[in-house]
Amino acid sequence: MKLVTRAVKGTHDLFGDEIRFQRKILRNARQWLESAGAFELATPVFEFTEVFQRGVGQTTDIVQKEMYTFSDRAGRSITLRPEGTAGVIRAFIEHGMKVMPQPVRIWYAGPMFRAERPQKGRQRQFHQVGYEIIGSDSYVADAEAILLSYKILESLGLRQMRLRIGSVGDSQDRMKYNEYLNSVLTPHFDDLSTDSQRRLVSNPLRILDSKAPQDIALLQELDVKPLLEFMGEKSRKHFESVKKALEDLGIAYTIDSRIVRGLDYYAHTAWEIHHELLGSQSALGGGGRYDTLVETLGGAPSPGVGWALGLERVTLAMQAEGLSPDAASRPLIYIFPLAAEFAEKALLAAQSFWPQVSAQYSLSAKKPAKGLREAEKRGAKYAGIIGQDEAASEAITIKNLHTKEQKLLSLKDAAALLKGENNEAH
Ligand code: HAM
């Protein structure tokens, strides 16, 4: 196929069922999140590269290998956003949102870009809906965030989900843990992948996130202790409180002591929601607390917590559980002209019904039998026929395809009849 007739590898066009799944997910997310007091924020799809280098972290795979980075015409380094949180925090600082009543609750949705190896459930352009609570360090905010993502997924009908929760402690805990990792892994330096040899120097914790079989085997062989065992009193207490709150809220979870997440900004709680019927890319979403990200990006300290769900993954999960997307829209009426010269009258009729009534019309002439068949094929309840008499008098013949009843009505009366039905289930 020619390059110009093919979407770039790892990207795809959304239409039909797929976009209706995404629309349903977004509608439910908006309803839940706005009912909880969140406002929507749409940040640009590209930012200065530094926002992600600093925000997501220099030692992450995302920053080192997966960003779409380019120079703009003025030679500034720009990156297509690989995730939403860093941009949201940049906007929080830029617009002085710290003076708003705290915490602020922000939701967002849109495309994200990561140059990963494409496979089922993993694209280079994918879509997320996300939620951030900025300005509170309370464990209750962590519980609220998890609760809302869970409720959104449940509201879509999903049942086969597992919440995996862990903690990455605070910076002191991680320092202690990194020392420990250093001491156990340095004697086995040669057995590590080259990436992990680099990580051992820059950020040993990242080795736990490695997908290289030799790293996974080594960590298993050495029976490396989890970070949870290195957490101080404060971190342990926070984690216990979050777990207790989830139990009180009736949200089942499993502890994942090895949860690392692919982003550097996390502190304390980190979680992922996996789906049991999806293969290797089973995370529907993930999130966690980030207590120093606002400072890292140049703002006054403000702790936060949040998550993002992947719309393509949630769609796959819904399909796997046999759930349906939003119904395809059907017209209430399908209008056709009996002769080509009445096509404009058909448009005139349709526009007098729009937008309350879903009305489609034909641009070409149709014989009655063919027009009626076409109306049925499109799932319309009514057919509208424009012939010589109708065209001459701003009228339309309306046929109820269920009762077969037919009457000639002025456009005004027809509009009143159809608007009365107002797209009731038909
Ligand atoms: P993340 O875990 O990197 O977190 O991404 C969240 C979700 O986006 C994943 O669980 C997955 O469903 C989806 N996703 C990620 N990469 C891809 C891909 N290449 N193709 C398809 N889907 C993908 C974040 O992005 C954080 N910003 C979440 C967060 C918000 N943490 C705090 N606040």
Side-chain angles (χ1 to χ4, degrees):
M1 232 193 310
K2 285 203 207 97
L3 280 180
V4 287
T5 52
R6 196 173 67 194
V8 173
K9 186 175 168 189
T11 72
H12 66 295
D13 305 304
L14 294 172
F15 64 101
D17 270 1
E18 229 197 324
I19 206 145
R20 286 197 296 273
F21 271 113
Q22 294 208 3
R23 211 190 289 163
K24 185 166 181 173
I25 302 163
L26 288 174
R27 200 187 44 238
N28 288 23
R30 173 194 294 269
Q31 192 183 5
W32 276 94
L33 299 173
E34 293 196 351
S35 76
F39 64 86
E40 186 175 3
L41 173 65
T43 64
V45 295
F46 53 80
E47 301 269 353
F48 290 120
T49 302
E50 225 183 309
V51 171
F52 305 113
Q53 280 172 338
R54 287 220 228 162
V56 175
Q58 288 282 10
T59 62
T60 58
D61 275 2
I62 294 182
V63 169
Q64 289 192 347
K65 303 181 186 167
E66 297 170 1
M67 296 208 301
Y68 284 98
T69 297
F70 56 94
S71 291
D72 70 5
R73 286 168 192 278
R76 288 170 297 224
S77 182
I78 302 289
T79 292
L80 296 184
R81 62 182 181 194
E83 61 99 51
T85 311
V88 167
I89 298 302
R90 192 265 312 134
F92 174 88
I93 300 166
E94 182 170 344
H95 303 292
M97 293 185 193
K98 212 173 154 46
V99 304
M100 296 164 100
Q102 301 290 296
V104 294
R105 292 175 167 82
I106 295 174
W107 79 275
Y108 55 91
M112 308 289 160
F113 308 86
R114 296 183 194 175
E116 295 188 86
R117 200 164 42 79
Q119 62 178 84
K120 190 166 186 213
R122 193 161 76 191
Q123 290 88 29
R124 292 182 171 172
Q125 174 173 334
F126 58 98
H127 298 80
Q128 286 186 343
V129 54
Y131 180 56
E132 313 290 352
I133 307 172
I134 311 162
S136 169
D137 63 3
S138 167
Y139 72 91
V140 182
D142 304 29
E144 176 199 314
I146 296 171
L147 172 82
L148 282 168
S149 61
Y150 219 78
K151 288 287 181 191
I152 291 165
L153 294 170
E154 269 184 355
S155 75
L156 294 164
L158 288 168
R159 294 292 175 267
Q160 305 198 54
M161 306 174 289
R162 284 283 163 271
L163 168 64
R164 295 188 200 158
I165 170 169
S167 173
V168 296
D170 60 20
S171 56
Q172 274 184 354
D173 303 333
R174 283 195 299 281
M175 216 151 69
K176 266 192 277 167
Y177 190 56
N178 275 335
E179 276 166 23
Y180 160 75
L181 286 177
N182 239 313
S183 69
V184 290
L185 293 174
T186 305
H188 302 273
F189 187 83
D190 293 340
D191 299 330
L192 287 166
S193 68
T194 22
D195 272 349
S196 287
Q197 289 178 344
R198 211 169 9 85
R199 293 175 182 130
L200 194 58
V201 181
S202 60
N203 188 359
L205 191 60
R206 282 268 143 253
I207 297 174
L208 303 193
D209 198 23
S210 169
K211 277 126 207 143
Q214 68 195 94
D215 295 338
I216 294 169
L218 182 64
L219 292 171
Q220 223 163 31
E221 190 192 310
L222 295 175
D223 204 10
V224 169
K225 291 186 211 164
L227 197 155
L228 283 181
E229 290 182 24
F230 291 76
M231 279 187 343
E233 182 60 23
K234 190 169 158 254
S235 302
R236 260 209 305 272
K237 223 172 130 201
H238 187 90
F239 190 42
E240 290 308 317
S241 306
V242 174
K243 288 190 294 183
K244 171 81 171 42
L246 291 175
E247 282 153 30
D248 295 343
L249 291 163
I251 298 176
Y253 62 83
T254 51
I255 304 274
D256 185 344
S257 62
R258 303 223 175 265
I259 206 155
V260 235
R261 312 269 303 123
L263 308 103
D264 270 352
Y265 46 63
Y266 292 116
H268 298 294
T269 326
W271 71 87
E272 281 173 358
I273 299 176
H274 289 259
H275 195 267
E276 288 170 356
L277 304 180
L278 299 190
S280 62
Q281 305 303 312
S282 64
L284 302 182
R289 174 160 280 288
Y290 46 87
D291 284 351
T292 53
L293 179 57
V294 182
E295 280 160 274
T296 305
L297 290 176
S302 208
V305 60
W307 50 259
L309 294 173
L311 300 190
E312 282 81 1
R313 303 262 181 99
V314 177
T315 296
L316 288 172
M318 288 176 75
Q319 286 167 332
E321 286 200 41
L323 301 167
S324 31
D326 273 354
S329 63
R330 290 184 297 165
L332 182 61
I333 184 166
Y334 175 75
I335 306 161
F336 58 93
L338 295 176
E341 71 245 47
F342 308 140
E344 195 185 322
K345 296 288 185 192
L347 167 62
L348 189 79
Q351 67 89 33
S352 73
F353 305 150
W354 293 336
Q356 294 94 331
V357 170
S358 157
Q360 295 178 8
Y361 75 98
S362 168
L363 285 162
S364 57
K366 294 211 183 306
K367 293 212 170 78
K370 182 140 182 268
L372 293 175
R373 238 181 298 125
E374 184 65 35
E376 267 166 11
K377 215 168 81 190
R378 290 172 189 238
K381 179 175 176 184
Y382 293 99
I385 306 159
I386 310 270
Q388 181 81 54
D389 296 346
E390 291 88 351
S393 57
E394 303 255 307
I396 184 166
T397 293
I398 299 250
K399 178 163 184 160
N400 183 323
L401 297 169
H402 299 170
T403 63
K404 311 289 177 210
E405 195 189 338
Q406 181 169 319
K407 49 190 164 193
L408 177 70
L409 293 174
S410 69
L411 284 186
K412 230 170 119 209
D413 289 348
L417 169 83
L418 296 171
K419 284 176 190 173
E421 301 224 359
N422 204 8
N423 288 345
E424 281 166 23
H426 56 278

